[in-house]
Amino acid sequence: MTTSNIIIVGQSGQGIILASKIIVAALDRAGLRFAATEYPAITHRFAITSAHIRTGDRFLSPRIRPREGDLIIGLEPFETFRTSLLFANAGTEVITNDAFVRVNGEPNHLLKAPIAADSVEEIQQHLATRGVARVTAIPATRLAFDVVKSRAGANAVLLGAAFASGRLPVSLDIIEETIFALSPRDTGARNRDGFRAGIEAYHSSKS
């Protein structure tokens, strides 16, 4: 099995660490070799949070090197962009939420600066000029409200989109069982539904 490098990124409170733990636990259930490291926010609200996950046969460190990301899952578009500039290459699959983090009704300037883009479409265009063309925007926050009944479910939606991309090397049964096992109390079924909505949203974006 070749090495697969997965990055999850967003802002504190968006469920990046839980999404990372779900992927890691699913890889473990599947009997796959993996290593992971998390970079939680420790300074202030709205700070950047990320996780690196590697699976396969040929790696020594859990930390992913620049330009070696295979799958980037972003819960905040500006931070998806910033992370993709460093870690993406022509073959990277980038999946991003289409909803920007807002502070007092405005885009979070801590995430935006110094990115000169005001929409997901502009971010996609910027990345395309750098050879990163596989960028899919998913309405994860809207689907989380509709299906999971909470914006906190956006991470489950994006996990579904990531699974649909074919870049998560686990079966549907294993990852759904893991979502149930690790979801906070009484949210397993809703998070599973959000995951399935993400699968559908990814396929719809390609049709």
Side-chain angles (χ1 to χ4, degrees):
M1 178 182 177
T2 59
T3 298
S4 179
N5 296 322
I6 303 164
I7 298 172
I8 311 172
V9 67
Q11 70 143 32
S12 60
Q14 287 190 299
I16 287 89
I17 302 303
L18 177 58
S20 171
K21 291 183 183 303
I22 288 171
I23 292 175
V24 164
L27 293 171
D28 189 40
R29 287 179 182 225
L32 299 174
R33 180 175 180 264
F34 65 87
T37 188
E38 298 167 348
Y39 302 92
I42 58 174
T43 56
H44 56 273
R45 192 180 181 193
F46 305 118
I48 306 309
T49 302
S50 65
H52 289 198
I53 304 165
R54 309 186 78 187
T55 183
D57 300 323
R58 302 181 63 182
F59 60 84
L60 297 175
S61 167
R63 186 166 185 172
I64 298 168
R65 292 182 293 188
R67 306 289 290 173
E68 291 191 0
D70 296 303
L71 171 64
I72 295 173
I73 305 169
L75 279 90
E76 206 294 324
F78 289 136
E79 194 54 35
T80 303
F81 183 36
R82 197 195 320 267
T83 300
S84 296
L85 290 176
L86 179 59
F87 290 102
N89 56 64
T92 304
E93 182 89 30
V94 179
I95 297 173
T96 184
N97 193 357
D98 70 355
F100 294 90
V101 170
R102 293 185 176 271
V103 181
N104 296 324
E106 298 295 329
N108 184 356
H109 71 280
L110 295 176
L111 295 177
K112 182 175 180 180
I115 297 170
D118 293 311
S119 68
V120 171
E121 291 75 17
E122 285 187 58
I123 288 173
Q124 290 171 312
Q125 291 168 9
H126 277 291
L127 288 174
T129 64
R130 295 172 178 264
V132 182
R134 302 181 65 161
V135 182
T136 304
I138 301 293
T141 298
R142 179 180 64 78
L143 288 171
F145 275 120
D146 291 346
V147 178
V148 188
K149 308 306 179 185
S150 168
R151 70 186 310 152
N155 58 354
V157 174
L158 288 170
L159 282 178
F163 178 82
S165 75
R167 298 297 182 100
L168 293 181
V170 295
S171 70
L172 179 63
D173 287 345
I174 283 177
I175 196 162
E176 288 196 343
E177 289 169 4
T178 307
I179 289 171
F180 259 101
L182 295 186
S183 289
R185 185 178 179 180
D186 299 326
T187 64
R190 284 181 287 149
N191 282 335
R192 178 206 59 199
D193 292 343
F195 174 82
R196 292 177 177 176
I199 293 175
E200 183 177 343
Y202 181 87
H203 289 314
S204 294
S205 73
K206 303 303 178 185
S207 60

